[in-house]
Amino acid sequence: MAAGRTEGRHDQASGLDERRPVDVLKVLADAQKAAAGVVDAALDDIATAARLAADALLSGGRLVYAGAGSSGLMAMADALELPGTYGISRDRIVILLAGGAASLVDLAGGYEDDRALALSDAAAAAIGPRDCVIAVSASGSTPYALAIASHAKEKGARVVALANNPGAALFEGADAAILLDTPPEVISGSTRMGAGTAQKVAFNMFSTLVGVHLGHVHDGHMVNLKADNIKLRGRACRIVSDISGVGLDEAERLLQRSEGSVKAAVLLAAGVEDASAAEAALDRSGQSLRRALKALR
């Protein structure tokens, strides 16, 4: 099996275990910064991927995150945050992690080689033409990720591929190919480090731009958040107050009238008659608070 950059040797690795602890940490910190920096070269491809994902959700499809090992964990972390941050229904987000729940206890390596498991997981997810599949693999050659991406293409789904090696097999036939060309790891092959850092940054950017496309971001606020705890209810009040200019007490009252919808509460503050009228205005605007507010003026 050919070794890519993710299996290469870092130029600061020699004698690492003989250095002072602080010097080891400096090498590791510099490597993490270098890894994060490679995302700049992938901005156009991340933008393409986010548009594909948003269009899938807008058409009634789902986002299917697929991966194995530490790459799969990065994908899962992004997927799990979407409902709370942007109010995307949980049934519109699918997570295919090689090994499933067992991998959350013991991240065994064997699952990533199991193509039969991947095809079984993909079939159970019922991937279809309205879905967008985000397949991630640091090497770009993980059998689990490759099998799911191939199955998704056969079913007519859009495929976003994210990998850290140039020329990765995972990129073949993908609708959006995101190359995060990270340097070799300080601990050779430990892709939870530099490669994982770059993946995390890219996923953060990808899902944030999806939220923007869906109309769930307004002036840097997550206006479609699910306020299901004390902290988030307080945040929702502050968002309504900041956008509309009303006090926090009034913002809380408006949120009660809107049954917790930040967007509807802001429209109520702008003079919309009631929550039903606010929701109708949002539907007409494609769930864009900005467009709904402009329509009132």
Side-chain angles (χ1 to χ4, degrees), residues 113-193:
D113 296 333
D114 196 334
R115 292 182 62 87
L117 173 65
L119 294 176
S120 174
D121 287 350
I127 294 170
R130 291 192 297 177
D131 297 331
C132 178
V133 175
I134 304 100
V136 57
S137 162
S139 67
S141 60
T142 303
Y144 185 89
L146 288 172
I148 289 178
S150 178
H151 176 90
K153 284 182 281 188
E154 290 174 5
K155 296 299 182 181
R158 295 292 192 179
V159 175
V160 172
L162 192 154
N164 298 78
N165 279 329
L170 191 61
F171 292 149
E172 296 176 12
D175 297 287
I178 300 171
L179 170 62
L180 304 174
D181 194 6
T182 45
E185 303 286 358
V186 176
I187 309 302
S188 182
S190 183
T191 53
R192 70 182 180 86
M193 300 176 70

Side-chain angles (χ1 to χ4, degrees), residues 221-285:
H221 289 303
M222 51 177 83
V223 290
N224 209 47
L225 85 167
K226 181 180 179 182
D228 56 2
N229 64 25
I230 293 172
K231 177 187 74 174
L232 293 177
R233 286 192 288 272
R235 180 179 297 164
C237 282
R238 291 191 296 274
I239 291 172
V240 173
S241 175
D242 186 65
I243 296 174
S244 67
V246 302
L248 290 175
D249 289 343
E250 175 64 4
E252 184 175 10
R253 189 182 71 81
L254 292 170
L255 281 164
Q256 291 174 349
R257 287 181 59 197
S258 69
E259 297 183 348
S261 168
V262 168
K263 291 180 182 179
V266 171
L267 291 176
L268 290 172
V272 172
E273 182 179 2
D274 55 31
S276 295
E279 292 298 341
L282 288 168
D283 286 340
R284 289 193 298 272
S285 72

Side-chain angles (χ1 to χ4, degrees), residues 80-113:
L80 289 174
E81 293 281 4
L82 291 176
T85 306
Y86 297 122
I88 298 171
S89 176
R90 292 194 180 278
D91 64 5
R92 307 289 294 282
I93 308 294
V94 179
I95 302 170
L96 301 182
L97 173 66
S103 286
L104 301 180
V105 178
D106 179 11
L107 201 60
Y111 296 124
E112 71 177 47
D113 296 333

